Amino acid sequence: MSEHTPNPSSPATPSNGVKSMDAIMALCKRRGFIYQASEIYGGINGFWDYGPFGAQLKKNLRDAWWQDMILNPCWGRKGPNGKRVECVPVETRIIQHPKVWEASGHVGGFNDPMVDDKETKQRFRADHLFGIFVVETTPENADADYRKIMDRWQSDNSYAPLFTCVASTEGEAIDQFAPFIKKLAKARKLDIQKELKLQDSNHRADVVFTTDKGVMLLGEVKQIGERRLKQIYGDVPSPFTQKSGVLTEPKQFNLMFYTFTGATAGPEDKVYLRPETAQGVFVNFKNVVDTCRVKVPFGIGNTGTSFRNEVTPRNFTFRSREFEQAELEFFCHPDESVAWYQFWRDFRMEWWKSIGLAGDNLILREHEKDELSHYSQGTSDVEYRFPFTAPGFGELEGIAHRGNYDLTQHAKVSGAKLEYFDQERGELLPNGSRRGEKYLPHCIEPAAGLDRGALAILCEAYSKDESRPSPEVMKIHPRIAPIKAAIFPLVNKDGMPEIAEKLFDDVNARFGKLGFIESDAKQSIGKRYARMDEAGCPFCFTIDGETPGTQTVTVRDRDTGKQDRIAIDKVVPFLAEKLQG
Ligand code: GAP
C-alpha cells in the first residue's frame, strides 16, 4: 500500500506532474465516469459511484483482466516450467467465517495508526503526516544553517515542525507547504524574489525562498513517522488548523468494517466485510483441487469488492473505503516459486502497458529486503505516477511471493489438511511412475486494484490540446474505452439518417458486446465530436453528402482529430482490427 517519492534519476518534469486533478475530476463528473456516492445528500467520505461510461470502462478493465489472467492467461505464453499457464476463477463471498480473518492475521494486525484533532474532530493517518522545518538564514550561512536543521532532526526526538500537512508523498507535501512559507514571509514583511520547490534531497532544502533584505527561508519537509509522533504529538501543529496541543496520541485502528449476522446480533454474531479477495481463494484451495482437474502449478483468480475503513480516504478513488480488487493466487512447488514470482512480476508490468499505461508514468518497483514480510522472497509493485503523487508514484498492483504462509495459517486454525499431493514428483519408480510428493504449495499473488487501475487509465488518458476546438480529449486505449465507436449523420436529411441507422445496426451487432456504440444526429458535428473526445470514443464515423454516391464515410481518429474516407463496407473490418474484437 505504498506511495513513494522517486529516486533522483526519475525524469525532472514528469508528464503527469502538470495534469490538473481538479480538471480530471470535473471531466469525470461531466461525462458520467465517476460521481460522489450519495451526492444529493452531501456525499459520503471514501465512497464513489460510477456513472454509465465509468461503469462500462471498469467492466472493460475487469474483462481484460479476466481474459488475460483466467481464460487465456498471459496471452498463451509458456511459464517458466515450459508449459501453458493454467488458471481458474472462483467467486467468493464478502462475508466469510470470522476465523478466516483471525487466521489471515487481519483481525490482529490489519491496523493503521490514527490521530485525531480534538477540536475539529478530523482524523488522519499518522504515517501520512508531513512536517516542515524552517530556518531563516542568509545566502552565506545557508549551508551551515541547513545542516543544523538536518542534524537536529536526526538527533533531537523532540524537534517539532513549524507546519504540518497530510499527504501521500513528499512531493505532495512540498506543494502544500509553499503557501505557509509565503505567509511566513509576509508576516516578516519580506518580499519573495525567488521561490524554489525542490523535489529531491540532493538539493539544499525542499523549499527555498529568496527574499529581499538578503534573507533566505529554507524549508525541509519530513515525514514525521509514528514513533516520533508518539513522543511529540502535544507539540505538533494540527494539519487542519496549525494549532499545537490539539492532537491525540497515535492509536492503532483496525481497518476492517464489521456487521452482525442474524436477528440477535450479539457479539458472537460479529462478522467482517472482507478487506481483500485473496482469502476467499485460500479457503477454497482444497475445494478447487478436489473438484476440478487442476494440477500445481495453477492459479485461482477472484475479483470483487473489498472494504477497508481507511483513516484518511483521499485522492479521488485512489484510497477509497469500498473498492474492487482482481487478485490471482498462483500455487506452485516451493522450488519453482522464485521463477514464477519473476514471471508474474514481469507479465503484470507488460499487461498494464498493453492497456495504455506505457511510458515514464509506469514503473515496477522491487521492494527492499527490509520491506518484505518474513515469509516472502520478493514483492514488487506496479506503480503509476498519478498527478497527485507526481513526481512520486502510487501503487496499482502488488505482486507478492507469499510462500506458504496463508495455507499454513488456514491449516493451523481450521484443522483442515491443505497439503497437495503431487503425483508428478518424487522418486522415479521401477514402473516408470513417480512416488509422488506431498507439500504445501507456495503462492505468488498478483493483486490488482480495479478502481486504481481505472483511475490511472483516466489520468493517463486525460490530455489537453488548446489548438483543438474541444481541448480536453480522453485518449483511452480502445480496448478499455467505454464507447467503441460513434455513427453520425452529418445532417438529419438527404437519406443520411437512414444510412447511419443501418451502419449503426451493423456495427452494434458486431461490437456492441464490447462497449457502447453511439449514434447522435443533434447539434453541430463539431459539438458531437467534442462530446465523443471527452468521453474517450476512439472512432467517429460520419455519413455525409458524398456517402450516397460513393458509399464511403469519414472516420475521425480521436487522438489526432484527423479524418480519412473509407468504404462503408470496410467500417466493420476497420473496427475489428482496431478493437481486436
Ligand atoms: N491480497 C493482497 C492485497 O490486498 P494490497 O496491496 O493491500 O494487497 C492490492 O491491495 C491492491 O488493491 C492495491 O494495489 C490497490 O490497487 C488496491 N487497493 C488497496 N487498498 C485500496 C483502497 N483503499 N482504495 C482503492 N484501492 C485499494
Side-chain angles (χ1 to χ4, degrees):
M1 287 200 286
S2 69
E3 293 112 85
H4 81 283
T5 40
N7 61 42
S9 62
S10 294
T13 40
S15 43
N16 252 4
V18 288
K19 290 189 186 177
S20 148
M21 218 38 226
D22 286 345
I24 294 173
M25 287 170 75
L27 186 142
C28 282
K29 167 88 194 284
R30 189 167 74 245
R31 284 293 163 230
F33 284 104
I34 301 177
Y35 309 131
Q36 200 179 7
S38 312
E39 191 181 305
I40 59 169
Y41 289 97
I44 169 165
N45 197 9
F47 297 88
W48 297 90
D49 289 337
Y50 287 85
F53 293 151
Q56 184 63 41
L57 180 142
K58 239 188 89 182
K59 181 181 183 300
N60 293 348
L61 181 61
R62 189 186 307 111
D63 287 352
W65 184 93
W66 192 277
Q67 177 66 32
D68 300 343
M69 295 292 279
I70 306 289
L71 299 179
N72 183 28
C74 312
W75 307 319
R77 261 184 212 170
K78 305 269 191 305
N81 59 347
K83 295 188 182 148
R84 223 172 334 114
V85 181
E86 285 196 39
C87 295
V88 291
V90 289
E91 184 193 297
T92 69
R93 296 285 67 98
I94 286 167
I95 293 179
Q96 299 281 340
H97 195 290
K99 281 205 176 333
V100 168
W101 308 111
E102 284 171 30
S104 67
H106 285 91
V107 170
F110 196 50
N111 300 322
D112 272 344
M114 172 198 85
V115 180
D116 287 320
D117 176 322
K118 289 181 276 187
E119 281 190 351
T120 66
K121 308 288 176 223
Q122 279 161 293
R123 176 170 281 191
F124 61 91
R125 243 170 78 174
D127 54 330
H128 283 173
L129 188 72
F130 284 80
I132 187 161
F133 299 85
V134 182
V135 68
E136 189 178 312
T137 183
T138 56
E140 306 78 60
N141 295 332
D143 285 331
D145 284 340
Y146 173 66
R147 233 356 320 134
K148 275 189 212 153
I149 332 181
M150 293 304 288
D151 289 348
R152 191 156 170 216
W153 161 258
Q154 261 143 26
S155 62
D156 178 359
N157 282 340
S158 66
Y159 188 28
L162 192 58
F163 303 109
T164 60
C165 74
V166 176
S168 304
T169 62
E170 204 176 284
E172 202 189 317
I174 289 170
D175 284 343
Q176 292 194 53
F177 282 128
F180 290 126
I181 309 288
K182 280 187 187 151
K183 263 196 204 156
L184 196 71
K186 208 166 162 199
R188 294 266 300 103
K189 297 200 171 26
L190 296 170
D191 260 348
I192 292 168
Q193 292 171 340
K194 205 164 152 208
E195 170 187 343
L196 268 179
K197 278 186 269 167
L198 307 174
Q199 279 150 343
D200 80 65
S201 48
N202 291 341
H203 295 77
R204 186 148 50 194
D206 291 319
V207 183
V208 179
F209 284 90
T210 312
T211 73
D212 60 343
K213 302 180 195 150
V215 175
M216 274 178 99
L217 293 166
L218 303 184
E220 180 63 20
V221 174
K222 289 281 175 208
Q223 195 169 15
I224 307 298
E226 190 190 346
R227 208 156 358 116
R228 188 168 290 204
L229 193 56
K230 269 200 164 134
Q231 292 171 317
I232 56 168
Y233 65 92
D235 296 329
V236 170
S238 159
F240 309 114
T241 60
Q242 302 303 331
K243 208 166 147 186
S244 304
V246 296
L247 297 183
T248 61
E249 190 178 354
K251 270 196 290 297
Q252 289 303 326
F253 171 74
N254 190 283
L255 296 190
M256 273 198 297
F257 279 101
Y258 57 83
T259 183
F260 298 92
T261 54
T264 50
E268 67 285 2
D269 304 314
K270 183 174 177 183
V271 288
Y272 299 96
L273 306 193
R274 68 178 171 203
E276 60 172 25
T277 50
Q279 298 303 322
V281 170
F282 295 120
V283 298
N284 279 295
F285 171 73
K286 188 169 156 44
N287 276 339
V288 174
V289 168
D290 290 349
T291 58
C292 304
R293 299 183 68 226
V294 285
K295 283 188 188 151
V296 169
F298 76 99
I300 306 180
N302 200 11
T303 64
T305 308
S306 293
F307 299 83
R308 296 182 190 176
N309 198 2
E310 298 284 359
V311 178
T312 37
R314 57 210 309 269
N315 289 330
F316 205 13
T317 59
F318 181 84
R319 190 177 303 289
S320 310
R321 290 182 166 141
E322 177 179 343
F323 55 95
E324 189 173 348
Q325 292 184 304
E327 298 194 276
L328 184 84
E329 310 304 319
F330 192 83
F331 299 97
C332 57
H333 188 276
D335 292 349
E336 292 179 351
S337 60
V338 171
W340 278 109
Y341 162 67
Q342 285 161 351
F343 173 82
W344 279 110
R345 185 194 62 183
D346 296 345
F347 176 68
R348 293 307 299 156
M349 179 71 180
E350 256 190 84
W351 186 80
W352 285 108
K353 282 187 188 166
S354 80
I355 53 169
L357 296 188
D360 67 2
N361 288 330
L362 197 72
I363 56 162
L364 184 69
R365 184 178 74 89
E366 186 86 42
H367 285 209
E368 302 291 335
K369 283 269 173 293
D370 62 0
E371 284 181 89
L372 296 178
S373 317
H374 64 93
Y375 49 76
S376 180
Q377 292 185 53
T379 296
S380 304
D381 290 339
V382 177
E383 297 187 335
Y384 178 72
R385 180 154 33 206
F386 292 91
F388 48 82
T389 58
F393 295 81
E395 178 189 324
L396 266 189
E397 168 161 352
I399 301 102
H401 182 304
R402 297 190 58 89
N404 60 17
Y405 175 78
D406 303 272
L407 290 181
T408 304
Q409 284 299 105
H410 287 300
K412 215 192 292 171
V413 177
S414 69
K417 293 204 180 334
L418 299 181
E419 283 123 330
Y420 175 76
F421 183 70
D422 195 332
Q423 294 173 336
E424 288 166 20
R425 287 185 180 265
E427 183 194 339
L428 190 63
L429 299 175
N431 66 4
S433 66
R434 296 260 171 197
R435 184 177 295 284
E437 182 187 334
K438 214 181 202 183
Y439 57 89
L440 266 184
H442 277 200
C443 179
I444 311 303
E445 176 190 73
L450 293 182
D451 298 272
R452 279 199 197 164
L455 182 60
I457 284 166
L458 289 166
C459 291
E460 183 75 14
Y462 181 87
S463 30
K464 213 159 176 201
D465 179 353
E466 298 292 352
S467 68
R468 285 166 71 143
S470 57
E472 287 178 299
V473 182
M474 292 299 274
K475 297 183 176 174
I476 306 172
H477 190 283
R479 189 175 182 200
I480 307 298
I483 308 175
K484 300 301 181 191
I487 317 285
F488 297 143
L490 182 62
V491 287
N492 218 357
K493 56 182 186 184
D494 302 336
M496 292 181 215
E498 292 74 16
I499 301 175
E501 187 71 12
K502 161 87 179 58
L503 184 60
F504 176 89
D505 287 342
D506 292 348
V507 170
N508 197 37
R510 175 70 195 273
F511 304 104
K513 62 179 189 289
L514 302 178
F516 294 106
I517 309 299
E518 291 275 297
S519 68
D520 189 358
K522 289 188 212 91
Q523 294 189 309
S524 72
I525 193 72
K527 285 209 171 115
R528 284 180 270 168
Y529 287 153
R531 203 170 69 82
M532 288 298 103
D533 283 349
E534 287 196 349
C537 170
F539 307 106
C540 294
F541 299 91
T542 301
I543 287 83
D544 59 14
E546 274 190 42
T547 305
T550 59
Q551 291 300 301
T552 58
V553 294
T554 61
V555 49
R556 177 180 177 277
D557 183 290
R558 170 199 66 197
D559 296 352
T560 59
K562 214 171 131 260
Q563 297 189 33
D564 290 318
R565 278 203 98 77
I566 63 169
I568 201 161
D569 61 3
K570 290 282 180 288
V571 170
V572 167
F574 172 90
L575 281 173
E577 189 203 321
K578 299 288 183 187
L579 304 176
Q580 295 153 19

